[in-house]
Amino acid sequence: MIRRIATRAAAVPAVMAVAAAALTLTTAPAAHAVGENSKCSVNWPNFGATVGKNGWNLRTGPSTGYASRGYLYRGDKLTVLCSRGNWDYSQLSQRSKSGISKGTRGWVRDDGLVNLAG
């Protein structure tokens, strides 16, 4: 009888380790941790923003060293997904005034955005 108790007690940590490993392996990454937005340092709950300046670049990465996907103009609507420094990874809520398709994602400097709302 003492032997069985010792065996069960030894088995509990092993079962707990397997359960913890299973939890770790099955946990999905955050929605903003996949693709281009993996460069983000802060995730946001998808808040809306409006471009406040004309000729503002929508870029492929969070700096002026990345290529431009096109220009945004005053009044274009975005959904901000996450940010890194003063750059926001955003998605166009509607077709931009310059013709960039609705749903296009890219990086925008946050000092060109106004009317940020959660």
Side-chain angles (χ1 to χ4, degrees):
M1 185 165 172
I2 293 172
R3 191 171 191 188
R4 266 191 257 166
I5 292 171
T7 304
R8 285 183 186 165
V12 170
V15 170
M16 295 299 285
V18 169
L23 288 174
T24 302
L25 294 175
T26 59
T27 302
H32 301 304
V34 181
E36 282 181 77
N37 53 350
S38 64
K39 298 175 182 113
C40 293
S41 56
V42 177
N43 290 326
W44 299 107
N46 301 348
F47 60 86
T50 304
V51 176
K53 298 183 178 186
N54 286 323
W56 215 240
N57 280 299
L58 180 66
R59 296 191 177 273
T60 59
S63 80
T64 57
Y66 288 90
S68 175
R69 291 198 165 145
Y71 292 112
L72 301 173
Y73 291 91
R74 185 175 285 123
D76 283 340
K77 305 286 184 197
L78 301 164
T79 300
V80 177
L81 306 171
C82 61
S83 63
R84 180 181 186 97
N86 64 339
W87 290 85
D88 294 327
Y89 184 69
S90 306
Q91 179 174 327
L92 280 167
S93 303
Q94 60 192 35
R95 185 177 184 87
S96 74
K97 292 179 181 178
S98 65
I100 304 170
S101 300
K102 174 184 177 180
T104 300
R105 291 182 175 193
W107 292 85
V108 181
R109 273 200 12 226
D110 63 7
D111 56 343
L113 303 177
V114 296
N115 300 331
L116 299 172

